[in-house]
Amino acid sequence: MQQRKLFTILALIGLAAAPSLARGGRNGNETRFTVRVENLSMKDAFTASNGAKWSFVLSPGLWVAHRNDVMLFNEGKPASKGLEMQAEDCDPSGLVKMIEAPSA
């Protein structure tokens, strides 16, 4: 369950960040795009080993514009504490601290 939540939030971050990789703003032009996140899971779609039914819960969508030296995650590595807080507790404060930290 924990890995599914983390994968979902990483996927959302990746999808949200993809348009910004085009860097339309390099020449000073503004880049605009729209991201739509929709939970399509059905109520009580999952069954626990004890028979209890539960619905998939999605952490709120997140879009981030940041400096090149900020790494929110590294493929194949454990999630940062900030990303874990967002994925598991819907708490973006750890990611905000990472993004606002002075560059090294």
Side-chain angles (χ1 to χ4, degrees):
M1 176 65 182
Q2 203 169 12
Q3 287 180 335
R4 184 180 297 173
K5 282 184 183 178
L6 181 58
F7 175 77
T8 301
I9 193 67
L10 289 176
L12 291 173
I13 289 173
L15 288 172
S20 67
L21 296 176
R23 295 271 186 222
R26 281 187 182 174
N27 60 6
N29 293 335
E30 184 177 280
T31 300
R32 292 178 182 234
F33 57 93
T34 302
V35 176
R36 179 179 171 174
V37 178
E38 186 175 350
N39 185 351
L40 298 175
S41 64
M42 297 178 354
K43 182 174 172 33
D44 297 333
F46 299 94
T47 306
S49 59
N50 66 359
K53 298 281 190 182
W54 55 278
S55 302
F56 182 77
V57 179
L58 214 84
S59 179
L62 177 70
W63 177 81
V64 179
H66 57 78
R67 300 180 316 271
N68 287 340
D69 63 328
V70 174
M71 298 296 295
L72 299 180
F73 63 93
N74 291 300
E75 185 177 348
K77 303 288 184 189
S80 66
K81 184 65 177 167
L83 188 56
E84 182 181 328
M85 290 168 59
Q86 172 65 30
E88 295 180 9
D89 304 322
C90 303
D91 178 0
S93 64
L95 287 176
V96 170
K97 287 178 186 172
M98 288 173 57
I99 294 164
E100 290 181 339
S103 58

